[in-house]
Amino acid sequence: MEIFNTITTVSSETIQEFEKLSSSVVSDAMDILNLEHGGCLPYTIRPLHNYAKTLVGPITTVYAPEGTSLPVHLAMATHAKNRVLLIATDNYESCAFLGDIQAHLAALNGCKGIILDGFVRDKDGSKDLDLPIYCTGTYPKRPGKADLGGINIPITIGNIEVQSGDILIADTDGIVVIPKEYASAVLEVAKEKNASDIERLKRVKEFNYNAANNIHDFTSILTKDVAEYVKKNM
């Protein structure tokens, strides 16, 4: 098993700014910047329970192949404090990789959240924890403990390559990974996009729908690209 202990990430102030945003706005910002790395994790990874707060934090990567949970246990003990554990299992479907005891351990050890492309178990035992868990489902079979995988090594989930220290944002819409080297740029564009969305929503709510008779009357509340299409083609 490969374990690396020294990683770099962004400032706590940057993390706090991302906490004010949504995964959708952050995803839009990354599209606007045409970033080649990072992006949305598979939609099959969903919240285990309903969580009131958006999960944002620096990532500790964990690779747990072939049904082993050994690297997961080790990461929870020594690499979880103030971090999000992002666990790549290669979509393994024959066991769960953690249960309520491990969830309690991670939560009490200061872990900000756990996300994996695999199953968990003991769902009811983790519902009252201050620990967001996102996974592909539940399954009662326990995992193995083979000496495989690693911690703080590059992983891939879906088609997204992830490095430890990258930033993760997760909410009811889904999960987005932000490469740490682009965090500042993404944050600034996302804040601008968020402000624009708030203003457009205000216009949509205040629009006089009864006075609109054709598609051109709606251009002020359409997205910019759709409005431009209407003006040029209709």
Side-chain angles (χ1 to χ4, degrees), residues 76 98-106 122 125:
M76 287 177 177
L98 64 108
D100 59 347
I101 297 175
Q102 290 77 29
H104 275 78
L105 187 159
D122 306 320

Side-chain angles (χ1 to χ4, degrees), residues 60 82 89 107 113 161 187 202 208:
T60 288
N82 298 319
T89 75
E161 298 177 357
L187 178 59
K202 181 176 182 291
N208 186 352

Side-chain angles (χ1 to χ4, degrees), residues 13-14 17-18 21 29 182-192:
E13 291 77 14
T14 298
E17 289 297 304
F18 273 114
L21 303 170
Y182 299 116
S184 295
V186 171
L187 178 59
E188 290 308 308
V189 174
K191 289 165 69 174
E192 293 174 3

Side-chain angles (χ1 to χ4, degrees), residues 188-219:
E188 290 308 308
V189 174
K191 289 165 69 174
E192 293 174 3
K193 180 65 167 58
N194 190 54
S196 174
D197 285 352
I198 291 172
E199 174 58 31
R200 181 164 170 253
L201 179 59
K202 181 176 182 291
R203 295 199 308 271
V204 167
K205 289 181 177 181
E206 297 175 349
F207 186 73
N208 186 352
Y209 291 89
N210 291 328
N213 298 310
N214 61 64
I215 189 63
H216 287 274
D217 294 333
F218 286 90
T219 54

Side-chain angles (χ1 to χ4, degrees), residues 29-46:
M30 295 179 69
D31 285 346
I32 292 168
L33 290 168
N34 292 313
L35 297 186
E36 296 182 0
H37 301 291
C40 299
L41 295 186
Y43 70 91
T44 50
I45 306 175
R46 304 302 302 163

